[in-house]
Amino acid sequence: MRFGYTTLTEQAGPRELVAHAVGAERAGFDFSVMSDHFSPWLDSQGHSPYAWSVLGAVAQATERVELMTYVTCPTMRYHPAVVAQQAATVQLLSEGRFLLGLGAGENLNEHVVGRGWPPANVRHEMLTEAIQIISDLFDGGYTNFTGAHYRVDSAKLWDLPELRTPIGVAVSGEQSVRRFAPLADAMIAVEPRRELCARWDEVRSAADVGNSRKIGQLPVCWDRDDEAAVARAHDQFRWFAGGWKVNAELPGPASFAAATQFVKPEDVAAAIPCGADVQRIVDAVTPFAEAGYTDLALVQIGGEHQDVFLDVAERELLPALRKALPH
């Protein structure tokens, strides 16, 4: 497996996020992914700067690591033509190190533009059209498009990288896999489900588009004090327990706080590796490898707890992961 670091925009300010990404490269992570939010999940996370500005800074401050959005919704808050321009620009700034991760989005971030929040099947229709528009613009030349959800009038990317920006798409089940596997260069998901990876490969094989990367994500809360780690994970990441069918629908941090008010610290600790035991993290990563994932990005919970995690990652965690799960 290749191991990545998550620059989580919900838990740190823009300057700190750039420093974290630089630290992740120094620590030896293979790639660095970034969330693209308008709001944090919970008030206690406390941040949400504009991801694309931060990505531009990270592209200039790093040299080696692959960069990626995990993930951008190209359907409401951003028009897909604008996302294509954003991605092409970051690909140029990073000199070919960028992968555009896309998804159908969450109400939390997309409702802010006042267009309401459509049901999942409509969101998938919108994302399909968005991917077509972005892909057409990546091809070069002028793009015109008329669909059920979008129009594009004579759009062209004037600064287009020589290396085409690959596209990853977030999926969670049969409907999304069937629709997006033939259109994407990589799969993005957060559950270590063998059947999800197998079905992705099966659909791509039937479409004769070959194998692809499968990129997962795992939250961890490293701390020398196990109790402090559990408390922090519960305070800032208990929203994760809701699952994506719920998480995509709630409109704001207050809703996530209400929906998770009965989630207990021990519930969070059962789902997220907490504390100083590196083997606990290795054990949590292993099911992703067994399911068929090729890449996994770790999320260290707590914006003020990145430096110590990166130090441990360099000295202990990444060597242990690479020994247990060689590339």
PDB file of all heavy atoms in Angstrom, residues 255-275:
ATOM      1  N   SER A 255     -26.609  20.330  13.718  1.00  0.00           N
ATOM      2  CA  SER A 255     -27.325  19.095  13.407  1.00  0.00           C
ATOM      3  C   SER A 255     -26.476  17.871  13.713  1.00  0.00           C
ATOM      4  O   SER A 255     -26.968  16.866  14.243  1.00  0.00           O
ATOM      5  CB  SER A 255     -27.730  19.088  11.929  1.00  0.00           C
ATOM      6  OG  SER A 255     -28.590  20.160  11.636  1.00  0.00           O
ATOM      7  N   PHE A 256     -25.186  17.950  13.407  1.00  0.00           N
ATOM      8  CA  PHE A 256     -24.305  16.827  13.719  1.00  0.00           C
ATOM      9  C   PHE A 256     -24.140  16.667  15.224  1.00  0.00           C
ATOM     10  O   PHE A 256     -24.054  15.546  15.729  1.00  0.00           O
ATOM     11  CB  PHE A 256     -22.949  17.028  13.039  1.00  0.00           C
ATOM     12  CG  PHE A 256     -22.956  16.653  11.588  1.00  0.00           C
ATOM     13  CD1 PHE A 256     -23.204  17.607  10.625  1.00  0.00           C
ATOM     14  CD2 PHE A 256     -22.747  15.344  11.195  1.00  0.00           C
ATOM     15  CE1 PHE A 256     -23.225  17.268   9.277  1.00  0.00           C
ATOM     16  CE2 PHE A 256     -22.768  14.988   9.856  1.00  0.00           C
ATOM     17  CZ  PHE A 256     -23.010  15.958   8.891  1.00  0.00           C
ATOM     18  N   ALA A 257     -24.114  17.779  15.951  1.00  0.00           N
ATOM     19  CA  ALA A 257     -24.022  17.692  17.408  1.00  0.00           C
ATOM     20  C   ALA A 257     -25.264  17.018  17.981  1.00  0.00           C
ATOM     21  O   ALA A 257     -25.169  16.162  18.879  1.00  0.00           O
ATOM     22  CB  ALA A 257     -23.849  19.087  17.995  1.00  0.00           C
ATOM     23  N   ALA A 258     -26.428  17.395  17.461  1.00  0.00           N
ATOM     24  CA  ALA A 258     -27.676  16.801  17.951  1.00  0.00           C
ATOM     25  C   ALA A 258     -27.769  15.328  17.586  1.00  0.00           C
ATOM     26  O   ALA A 258     -28.181  14.487  18.399  1.00  0.00           O
ATOM     27  CB  ALA A 258     -28.867  17.568  17.386  1.00  0.00           C
ATOM     28  N   ALA A 259     -27.375  14.992  16.356  1.00  0.00           N
ATOM     29  CA  ALA A 259     -27.496  13.616  15.884  1.00  0.00           C
ATOM     30  C   ALA A 259     -26.556  12.671  16.615  1.00  0.00           C
ATOM     31  O   ALA A 259     -26.800  11.456  16.667  1.00  0.00           O
ATOM     32  CB  ALA A 259     -27.235  13.555  14.387  1.00  0.00           C
ATOM     33  N   THR A 260     -25.475  13.202  17.184  1.00  0.00           N
ATOM     34  CA  THR A 260     -24.462  12.344  17.826  1.00  0.00           C
ATOM     35  C   THR A 260     -24.400  12.548  19.340  1.00  0.00           C
ATOM     36  O   THR A 260     -23.436  12.124  19.975  1.00  0.00           O
ATOM     37  CB  THR A 260     -23.073  12.621  17.221  1.00  0.00           C
ATOM     38  OG1 THR A 260     -22.735  14.011  17.395  1.00  0.00           O
ATOM     39  CG2 THR A 260     -23.059  12.285  15.737  1.00  0.00           C
ATOM     40  N   GLN A 261     -25.438  13.158  19.907  1.00  0.00           N
ATOM     41  CA  GLN A 261     -25.381  13.472  21.340  1.00  0.00           C
ATOM     42  C   GLN A 261     -25.354  12.228  22.224  1.00  0.00           C
ATOM     43  O   GLN A 261     -24.899  12.297  23.371  1.00  0.00           O
ATOM     44  CB  GLN A 261     -26.576  14.348  21.715  1.00  0.00           C
ATOM     45  CG  GLN A 261     -27.941  13.707  21.481  1.00  0.00           C
ATOM     46  CD  GLN A 261     -29.083  14.640  21.826  1.00  0.00           C
ATOM     47  OE1 GLN A 261     -29.097  15.232  22.911  1.00  0.00           O
ATOM     48  NE2 GLN A 261     -30.039  14.790  20.916  1.00  0.00           N
ATOM     49  N   PHE A 262     -25.811  11.095  21.687  1.00  0.00           N
ATOM     50  CA  PHE A 262     -25.814   9.873  22.490  1.00  0.00           C
ATOM     51  C   PHE A 262     -24.675   8.920  22.133  1.00  0.00           C
ATOM     52  O   PHE A 262     -24.613   7.808  22.656  1.00  0.00           O
ATOM     53  CB  PHE A 262     -27.158   9.158  22.348  1.00  0.00           C
ATOM     54  CG  PHE A 262     -28.324   9.989  22.827  1.00  0.00           C
ATOM     55  CD1 PHE A 262     -29.301  10.419  21.944  1.00  0.00           C
ATOM     56  CD2 PHE A 262     -28.421  10.375  24.164  1.00  0.00           C
ATOM     57  CE1 PHE A 262     -30.364  11.197  22.380  1.00  0.00           C
ATOM     58  CE2 PHE A 262     -29.476  11.153  24.619  1.00  0.00           C
ATOM     59  CZ  PHE A 262     -30.458  11.571  23.717  1.00  0.00           C
ATOM     60  N   VAL A 263     -23.787   9.349  21.241  1.00  0.00           N
ATOM     61  CA  VAL A 263     -22.601   8.551  20.931  1.00  0.00           C
ATOM     62  C   VAL A 263     -21.631   8.654  22.108  1.00  0.00           C
ATOM     63  O   VAL A 263     -21.282   9.747  22.547  1.00  0.00           O
ATOM     64  CB  VAL A 263     -21.930   9.041  19.634  1.00  0.00           C
ATOM     65  CG1 VAL A 263     -20.632   8.273  19.386  1.00  0.00           C
ATOM     66  CG2 VAL A 263     -22.875   8.866  18.450  1.00  0.00           C
ATOM     67  N   LYS A 264     -21.194   7.532  22.624  1.00  0.00           N
ATOM     68  CA  LYS A 264     -20.343   7.502  23.805  1.00  0.00           C
ATOM     69  C   LYS A 264     -18.864   7.449  23.409  1.00  0.00           C
ATOM     70  O   LYS A 264     -18.524   6.993  22.316  1.00  0.00           O
ATOM     71  CB  LYS A 264     -20.684   6.284  24.658  1.00  0.00           C
ATOM     72  CG  LYS A 264     -22.123   6.261  25.160  1.00  0.00           C
ATOM     73  CD  LYS A 264     -22.412   4.976  25.909  1.00  0.00           C
ATOM     74  CE  LYS A 264     -23.862   4.931  26.385  1.00  0.00           C
ATOM     75  NZ  LYS A 264     -24.175   3.657  27.086  1.00  0.00           N
ATOM     76  N   PRO A 265     -17.984   7.919  24.297  1.00  0.00           N
ATOM     77  CA  PRO A 265     -16.549   7.821  24.000  1.00  0.00           C
ATOM     78  C   PRO A 265     -16.107   6.403  23.653  1.00  0.00           C
ATOM     79  O   PRO A 265     -15.282   6.213  22.754  1.00  0.00           O
ATOM     80  CB  PRO A 265     -15.902   8.312  25.291  1.00  0.00           C
ATOM     81  CG  PRO A 265     -16.905   9.261  25.870  1.00  0.00           C
ATOM     82  CD  PRO A 265     -18.243   8.661  25.546  1.00  0.00           C
ATOM     83  N   GLU A 266     -16.660   5.416  24.355  1.00  0.00           N
ATOM     84  CA  GLU A 266     -16.250   4.047  24.060  1.00  0.00           C
ATOM     85  C   GLU A 266     -16.710   3.591  22.678  1.00  0.00           C
ATOM     86  O   GLU A 266     -16.070   2.738  22.048  1.00  0.00           O
ATOM     87  CB  GLU A 266     -16.754   3.073  25.135  1.00  0.00           C
ATOM     88  CG  GLU A 266     -18.250   3.140  25.400  1.00  0.00           C
ATOM     89  CD  GLU A 266     -18.598   4.059  26.571  1.00  0.00           C
ATOM     90  OE1 GLU A 266     -17.902   5.085  26.746  1.00  0.00           O
ATOM     91  OE2 GLU A 266     -19.578   3.729  27.291  1.00  0.00           O
ATOM     92  N   ASP A 267     -17.819   4.180  22.181  1.00  0.00           N
ATOM     93  CA  ASP A 267     -18.263   3.868  20.820  1.00  0.00           C
ATOM     94  C   ASP A 267     -17.250   4.387  19.802  1.00  0.00           C
ATOM     95  O   ASP A 267     -16.937   3.704  18.815  1.00  0.00           O
ATOM     96  CB  ASP A 267     -19.632   4.502  20.539  1.00  0.00           C
ATOM     97  CG  ASP A 267     -20.725   4.002  21.463  1.00  0.00           C
ATOM     98  OD1 ASP A 267     -20.648   2.818  21.870  1.00  0.00           O
ATOM     99  OD2 ASP A 267     -21.647   4.783  21.783  1.00  0.00           O
ATOM    100  N   VAL A 268     -16.761   5.597  20.041  1.00  0.00           N
ATOM    101  CA  VAL A 268     -15.768   6.182  19.138  1.00  0.00           C
ATOM    102  C   VAL A 268     -14.464   5.391  19.203  1.00  0.00           C
ATOM    103  O   VAL A 268     -13.837   5.093  18.174  1.00  0.00           O
ATOM    104  CB  VAL A 268     -15.531   7.662  19.489  1.00  0.00           C
ATOM    105  CG1 VAL A 268     -14.407   8.238  18.641  1.00  0.00           C
ATOM    106  CG2 VAL A 268     -16.805   8.465  19.290  1.00  0.00           C
ATOM    107  N   ALA A 269     -14.043   5.028  20.410  1.00  0.00           N
ATOM    108  CA  ALA A 269     -12.786   4.289  20.579  1.00  0.00           C
ATOM    109  C   ALA A 269     -12.852   2.921  19.912  1.00  0.00           C
ATOM    110  O   ALA A 269     -11.818   2.387  19.477  1.00  0.00           O
ATOM    111  CB  ALA A 269     -12.473   4.141  22.060  1.00  0.00           C
ATOM    112  N   ALA A 270     -14.046   2.342  19.798  1.00  0.00           N
ATOM    113  CA  ALA A 270     -14.182   1.046  19.141  1.00  0.00           C
ATOM    114  C   ALA A 270     -14.017   1.163  17.629  1.00  0.00           C
ATOM    115  O   ALA A 270     -13.659   0.181  16.957  1.00  0.00           O
ATOM    116  CB  ALA A 270     -15.548   0.438  19.467  1.00  0.00           C
ATOM    117  N   ALA A 271     -14.266   2.370  17.087  1.00  0.00           N
ATOM    118  CA  ALA A 271     -14.210   2.558  15.634  1.00  0.00           C
ATOM    119  C   ALA A 271     -12.932   3.245  15.168  1.00  0.00           C
ATOM    120  O   ALA A 271     -12.561   3.125  13.993  1.00  0.00           O
ATOM    121  CB  ALA A 271     -15.423   3.365  15.175  1.00  0.00           C
ATOM    122  N   ILE A 272     -12.268   3.984  16.066  1.00  0.00           N
ATOM    123  CA  ILE A 272     -11.101   4.781  15.696  1.00  0.00           C
ATOM    124  C   ILE A 272      -9.932   4.400  16.598  1.00  0.00           C
ATOM    125  O   ILE A 272     -10.071   4.431  17.828  1.00  0.00           O
ATOM    126  CB  ILE A 272     -11.411   6.286  15.841  1.00  0.00           C
ATOM    127  CG1 ILE A 272     -12.500   6.704  14.856  1.00  0.00           C
ATOM    128  CG2 ILE A 272     -10.160   7.126  15.642  1.00  0.00           C
ATOM    129  CD1 ILE A 272     -12.986   8.136  15.047  1.00  0.00           C
ATOM    130  N   PRO A 273      -8.778   4.036  16.035  1.00  0.00           N
ATOM    131  CA  PRO A 273      -7.614   3.733  16.877  1.00  0.00           C
ATOM    132  C   PRO A 273      -7.190   4.962  17.681  1.00  0.00           C
ATOM    133  O   PRO A 273      -6.903   6.012  17.115  1.00  0.00           O
ATOM    134  CB  PRO A 273      -6.528   3.345  15.870  1.00  0.00           C
ATOM    135  CG  PRO A 273      -7.248   3.027  14.608  1.00  0.00           C
ATOM    136  CD  PRO A 273      -8.491   3.864  14.603  1.00  0.00           C
ATOM    137  N   CYS A 274      -7.166   4.829  18.998  1.00  0.00           N
ATOM    138  CA  CYS A 274      -6.833   5.951  19.878  1.00  0.00           C
ATOM    139  C   CYS A 274      -5.681   5.556  20.795  1.00  0.00           C
ATOM    140  O   CYS A 274      -5.631   4.428  21.296  1.00  0.00           O
ATOM    141  CB  CYS A 274      -8.043   6.336  20.738  1.00  0.00           C
ATOM    142  SG  CYS A 274      -9.452   6.992  19.805  1.00  0.00           S
ATOM    143  N   GLY A 275      -4.771   6.514  21.023  1.00  0.00           N
ATOM    144  CA  GLY A 275      -3.680   6.267  21.956  1.00  0.00           C
ATOM    145  C   GLY A 275      -2.351   6.099  21.262  1.00  0.00           C
ATOM    146  O   GLY A 275      -2.188   6.411  20.083  1.00  0.00           O
TER     147      GLY A 275
END
